[in-house]
Amino acid sequence: MASSSQEQLTTYKAVSVITFLLSIYGGLNYVGVPEGDLAHTPYSGSNLLLFIYWGIMYVWQLIYIIQAFFSLDEYRSSVIQLVGWHFPVFNVLAYIWFEFFTRGHYFLSELTLIINFINTLILYFGHKTFAVKPLTNWLLIHVPLVALTMSWLLYAIFWNGAIWLHIHKTWGRIVANIFIWNFLLVPGFFLLLFNDWATGLSFSFLMFALGFGQLGTKVFALQWIFAFVIAGILLLWSFIAMIVGAPKQIIDVEQAPLLVVEEERTTTS
């Protein structure tokens, strides 16, 4: 039984590393959106800042792989059980999105983003990564695998959707001026309920990217103003949440994520 479990663990490690490299490969082959109307939607952000965002996420995920996958500590093995197959699934779907998006299959790329977003939400609420402790493990697991990925996926759903539906004219921008406030409501929900300042900071960075991208597209417009306002609010809110207290923990052990339970067992023993 132990041998079978070890084999499964080894298989999972190999699949996770391979899919991580696959995701990076897809990112390196990304050529962007063709010039023209498609490149100037109300959700088109600064390419430079978006590339920086992906770079930070990849580096953070690499640190997770090194720390969690190449450690002989049994406690670190519980990290893998906590995350399950959500991490390699994200990587595969990210690669598929790159392929569809680069080739102009925007409906299929939108569908891929939605599926991946659901995958990340299941990881967030199903395994309750927001309650992982101590803070070092929260930074190792929740930030690179959930906060950064979930924030990007929601932003990409709006951006990809705007490209797919050719939203770049006046009425489309008016609607976008309304829907952009979802980027305050959604992270605000996670900040208010879970004190999840990592998600707040992730959305804040993406809104700064959107603001600079829109400023370079249409100076006389509301979208970049709203983006900067949302980014500023989230930045301030996230820093306050970071200073005031750690991410909220779950009191009921049965509702806690696997990693929390494992840590409590280790402490009591």
Side-chain angles (χ1 to χ4, degrees):
M1 188 72 176
S3 176
S4 176
S5 177
Q6 185 61 38
E7 289 180 359
Q8 292 178 2
L9 191 61
T10 302
T11 301
Y12 174 76
K13 289 180 179 180
V15 171
S16 296
V17 172
I18 292 172
T19 56
F20 174 69
L21 295 176
L22 183 66
S23 177
I24 294 178
Y25 174 76
L28 293 175
N29 287 336
Y30 172 75
V31 295
V33 183
E35 288 299 322
D37 292 335
L38 294 181
H40 302 296
T41 75
Y43 295 105
S44 298
S46 165
N47 286 330
L48 175 61
L49 292 180
L50 292 178
F51 287 146
I52 291 175
Y53 186 93
W54 269 88
I56 293 173
M57 185 172 68
Y58 277 143
V59 170
W60 216 317
Q61 289 177 345
L62 179 61
I63 294 173
Y64 159 77
I65 290 175
I66 294 173
Q67 293 292 322
F69 284 54
F70 298 101
S71 173
L72 299 177
D73 189 352
E74 292 184 2
Y75 179 66
R76 288 300 181 192
S77 297
S78 65
V79 175
I80 298 175
Q81 298 178 47
L82 169 68
V83 175
W85 289 91
H86 296 281
F87 178 48
V89 167
F90 167 81
N91 290 330
V92 171
L93 290 175
Y95 170 75
I96 294 174
W97 176 78
F98 279 125
E99 291 294 320
F100 282 146
F101 191 81
T102 302
R103 287 166 171 73
H105 303 302
Y106 298 121
F107 169 73
L108 294 176
S109 61
E110 181 76 3
L111 187 61
T112 303
L113 287 171
I114 294 173
I115 295 173
N116 210 357
F117 184 66
I118 294 173
N119 168 59
T120 309
L121 285 179
I122 293 174
L123 177 57
Y124 194 105
F125 292 106
H127 297 289
K128 298 179 174 61
T129 57
F130 57 83
V132 168
K133 58 182 182 180
L135 181 61
T136 52
N137 285 320
W138 187 81
L139 292 172
L140 176 67
I141 303 167
H142 179 75
V143 176
L145 305 188
V146 184
L148 289 171
T149 58
M150 181 177 63
S151 303
W152 157 257
L153 287 169
L154 184 61
Y155 165 75
I157 287 172
F158 279 83
W159 174 41
N160 191 119
I163 295 173
W164 167 42
L165 298 174
H166 295 264
I167 298 176
H168 55 83
K169 295 184 179 179
T170 303
W171 285 108
R173 288 189 169 274
I174 292 175
V175 174
N177 290 159
I178 299 173
F179 279 96
I180 191 176
W181 293 99
N182 282 298
F183 293 105
L184 177 61
L185 295 177
V186 173
F189 167 82
F190 292 109
L191 279 164
L192 189 62
L193 291 187
F194 309 119
N195 208 43
D196 188 354
W197 48 263
T199 297
L201 289 176
S202 299
F203 273 105
S204 177
F205 187 97
L206 290 171
M207 286 300 97
F208 275 118
L210 177 59
F212 282 112
Q214 292 300 300
L215 187 59
T217 301
K218 282 186 175 293
V219 177
F220 300 102
L222 293 175
Q223 193 76 340
W224 66 268
I225 298 176
F226 291 160
F228 283 135
V229 169
I230 293 171
I233 293 174
L234 289 177
L235 183 64
L236 179 61
W237 192 350
S238 299
F239 275 122
I240 292 175
M242 188 189 308
I243 295 172
V244 169
K248 294 183 179 179
Q249 307 294 338
I250 299 177
I251 303 300
D252 188 354
V253 175
E254 293 184 357
Q255 297 297 321
L258 175 63
L259 194 59
V260 177
V261 176
E262 289 293 332
E263 183 185 28
E264 290 178 351
R265 288 176 180 173
T266 304
T267 304
T268 54
S269 61

